[in-house]
Amino acid sequence: MTDTFTVLGAGLAGSLVSIYLARRGAKVRVYERRSDPRVTLIDGGRSINLALANRGIRALREVGLYKDIQALTIPMRGRMLHETGMPAVLQPYGKDESEVIYSISRGGLNALLLDRAEHHGVDIRFDHSIETVDLDTGVLDVRDAAGATHTVDAAPMIASDGAGSVIRHAMAKQKGADNREEMLTHAYKELTIPPGADGDFQIDANSLHIWPRGGFMMIALPNLDRSFTVTLFLAVDGEDSFATLDSPSAVTQFFERYFADAMPLFNDLTGEFFENPTGALGTVRCTPWHVGNKAVLIGDAAHAIVPFHGQGMNCAFEDCFELDRCLGETQGQDLEDTFRLFEQRRLPNANAIADMALENYIEMRASVRDPYFHLKKELAWELEKRFPTQFVPRYSMVMFHHVPYAEAQRRGVIQQQILDELLEGHQRDAGVGNVDFGRAKSLIDARLHGAIELQ
Ligand SMILES: Cc1cc2nc3c(=O)[nH]c(=O)nc-3n(C[C@H](O)[C@H](O)[C@H](O)COP(=O)(O)OP(=O)(O)OC[C@H]3O[C@@H](n4cnc5c(N)ncnc54)[C@H](O)[C@@H]3O)c2cc1C
């Protein structure tokens, strides 16, 4: 194997992939634009959290990190739905209590990965920004904190420089390349629900809270300091949009109208609303992901997705796991073979999770309010119980297993058809007890050929 790599970006993917490479004995240098987040406040010191699920956990476990990371997590067993004027209701994520996802601090996780990377001898250069790249020669121009530009012979490069990747943009200029960046017409704003006067969580700690409002929504994930990070997802323009929330009174009126039950939980709603940035959301689909043996894209640099399936980081971590696997399988061959194999395996899966993440926005902000959605979920779990090797709900395939995303998407479409057919003409409030399970078996046998590889 090549014994020196340059990793671009020390975010979640960059820091984890460095650990994987260093464990293989490679010399790894990382360039990161930001200051070291372990010594400088990032994002104004706000707690920002993410949902960690099985794919991410497997990749962390593989490098012996999951034990340390567990101390940073809070299990979330389902969605707590806050409908206007109704008591909150928990919708479990999985078929039983083993199927949960975890809230984790982005900063805490990144710091731990950086510590571990350095422990493995990775050389991380903070305050070093990649300015330009020559993909033919593998030479980078890097600007340091003092503003001086250095020309660096950097190949082979692992480009984990996020959604706005300099390397992807350089690749996009090459003949035959395709780089599609589709912005969502909705954006997001992070807010905080602080601990209550008694120092404890103000709402249930082991849930991902959702206030679904049809065209938009607000969610909240718990933090270890007993606060919640709240995210409002809303249209950029139009009626009920970020554009109309242009004054403290407009914000207060909007929240009183749509999120009255959450209003008493905030401490400084309008202050935070105008202090915190409004973030854009989008999907990146590009090809190719590699240039010869010079560079390969991973994480958001290759496939930024919208956050509604909670899979961007999980998918980025799975990239690190898979790239390491490809390095093992192509040992002794040119690195171009490794990068090509990685791209072949990951690109269709990245496109599949991009689609499913977009679909999940509708599910979270609207479908969760529909009783038919719950009936279908109940039936899906019943079918999983009866036919566990053939029928696993799509959400579970994505969040609790390692079924390739593209396969989860393919099976998911067939499963939806089966559920709709079995529930056609079914009394909606009758539960799933009198569904024809003989017919269910025939449909499953005929359409979902063979057992699913849950891995
Ligand atoms: C609101 C929101 C909620 C999310 N929630 C979840 C969730 O619950 N679960 C989940 O799995 N995912 C979630 N995600 C997605 C997740 O944040 C990303 O998929 C993940 O951060 C990707 O990691 P990365 O390392 O590829 O990119 P990043 O984390 O963006 O890291 C890229 C790094 O490269 C550095 N960099 C960029 N350009 C340069 C340059 N020119 N020179 C040097 N360094 C550079 C950046 O400073 C950064 O440190 C969410 C995303 C958003 C926006």
Side-chain angles (χ1 to χ4, degrees):
M1 190 181 83
T2 312
D3 58 2
T4 307
F5 282 88
T6 309
V7 173
L8 314 178
L12 297 173
S15 46
L16 182 59
V17 82
S18 307
I19 297 171
Y20 271 100
L21 294 169
R23 282 173 86 243
R24 284 193 172 271
K27 206 167 149 226
V28 186
R29 174 175 296 176
V30 186
Y31 291 108
E32 166 56 51
R33 181 169 61 186
R34 295 175 310 173
S35 300
D36 187 341
R38 296 166 296 179
V39 292
T40 310
L41 280 187
I42 299 288
D43 298 318
R46 289 181 293 128
S47 303
I48 296 182
N49 50 29
L50 300 152
L52 175 68
N54 266 29
R55 292 170 200 267
I57 291 172
R58 177 173 68 168
L60 294 166
R61 191 171 271 143
E62 180 75 8
V63 290
L65 270 179
Y66 188 55
K67 252 207 168 112
D68 296 326
I69 276 160
Q70 253 174 325
L72 303 177
T73 62
I74 301 176
M76 299 183 289
R77 64 211 145 117
R79 296 166 171 159
M80 188 70 82
L81 288 192
H82 298 259
E83 285 284 13
T84 311
M86 299 209 309
V89 179
L90 181 74
Q91 291 179 356
Y93 277 129
K95 64 178 186 311
D96 59 40
E97 285 177 7
S98 71
E99 296 193 331
V100 298
I101 58 175
Y102 299 89
S103 177
I104 187 162
S105 143
R106 180 190 281 272
L109 175 58
N110 207 166
L112 205 141
L113 291 171
L114 293 169
D115 281 347
R116 194 56 65 97
E118 284 179 343
H119 172 79
H120 282 283
V122 173
D123 170 13
I124 309 174
R125 310 270 171 106
F126 292 99
D127 299 302
H128 280 68
S129 176
I130 316 298
E131 301 293 292
T132 56
V133 59
D134 181 332
L135 291 172
D136 295 327
T137 57
V139 168
L140 289 177
D141 278 340
V142 183
R143 191 164 44 83
D144 67 19
T149 300
H150 308 265
T151 299
V152 183
D153 203 351
M157 291 174 270
I158 312 292
S160 46
D161 52 341
S165 172
V166 171
I167 312 301
R168 187 182 74 251
H169 287 134
M171 284 186 185
K173 291 190 184 126
Q174 296 202 315
K175 216 171 143 210
D178 185 21
N179 178 40
R180 276 174 292 151
E181 299 175 10
E182 297 152 11
M183 297 316 290
L184 203 66
T185 53
H186 287 214
Y188 71 96
K189 172 86 74 184
E190 279 152 347
L191 303 164
T192 314
I193 294 178
D198 59 357
D200 209 350
F201 289 105
Q202 294 198 62
I203 46 179
D204 182 63
N206 296 115
S207 307
L208 188 153
H209 294 263
I210 310 187
W211 289 260
R213 294 296 180 261
F216 54 91
M217 68 175 182
M218 187 168 82
I219 67 168
L221 275 74
N223 294 310
L224 287 177
D225 67 2
R226 296 173 181 257
S227 67
F228 282 83
T229 303
V230 175
T231 313
L232 171 67
F233 295 98
L234 182 67
V236 175
D237 292 306
E239 198 189 338
D240 290 334
S241 71
F242 280 109
T244 60
L245 300 183
D246 55 359
S247 66
S249 62
V251 171
T252 306
Q253 274 172 28
F254 176 81
F255 274 78
E256 273 170 355
R257 179 166 175 203
Y258 292 112
F259 304 117
D261 60 326
M263 281 294 271
L265 305 175
F266 292 106
N267 222 0
D268 180 22
L269 173 63
T270 52
E272 270 200 314
F273 194 93
F274 290 104
E275 217 162 274
N276 296 348
T278 305
L281 297 166
T283 302
V284 168
R285 298 173 205 257
C286 67
T287 175
W289 281 12
H290 77 284
V291 179
N293 58 11
K294 293 280 190 288
V296 67
L297 303 171
I298 67 165
D300 277 14
H303 50 68
I305 60 177
V306 294
F308 306 113
H309 220 306
Q311 279 293 308
M313 163 189 67
N314 286 286
C315 180
F317 283 175
E318 199 172 54
D319 284 351
C320 301
F321 178 88
E322 192 58 53
L323 183 62
D324 182 66
R325 227 187 218 184
C326 293
L327 281 166
E329 288 174 33
T330 55
Q331 225 155 22
Q333 294 169 228
D334 192 285
L335 206 50
E336 180 169 7
D337 297 335
T338 314
F339 291 169
R340 189 185 306 110
L341 182 64
F342 171 75
E343 179 177 331
Q344 273 166 6
R345 286 187 180 167
R346 292 303 286 166
L347 196 143
N349 288 309
N351 284 334
I353 189 59
D355 295 339
M356 292 190 283
L358 283 161
E359 284 169 25
N360 234 44
Y361 190 23
I362 313 288
E363 175 168 323
M364 288 176 84
R365 72 184 202 218
S367 312
V368 289
R369 312 169 92 184
D370 178 358
Y372 184 57
F373 170 83
H374 298 294
L375 185 63
K376 277 210 282 192
K377 229 180 166 64
E378 208 188 315
L379 179 56
W381 281 326
E382 185 59 34
L383 294 179
E384 183 181 21
K385 219 183 277 167
R386 290 173 186 246
F387 313 105
T389 60
Q390 287 170 288
F391 193 109
V392 177
R394 187 177 92 175
Y395 185 85
S396 305
M397 284 190 277
V398 171
M399 302 304 276
F400 307 128
H401 300 283
H402 311 292
V403 179
Y405 291 121
E407 177 65 358
Q409 185 183 36
R410 187 189 72 80
R411 293 183 84 97
V413 170
I414 301 170
Q415 291 182 174
Q416 277 305 314
Q417 285 163 354
I418 292 175
L419 292 172
D420 284 330
E421 284 178 39
L422 290 173
L423 290 172
E424 207 180 309
H426 188 82
Q427 194 81 39
R428 295 215 167 172
D429 50 10
V432 298
N434 55 357
V435 163
D436 180 349
F437 289 104
R439 180 158 170 248
K441 175 157 179 32
S442 315
L443 291 175
I444 289 171
D445 284 344
R447 298 188 195 165
L448 290 167
H449 314 286
I452 180 167
E453 269 187 53
L454 291 173
Q455 301 176 46

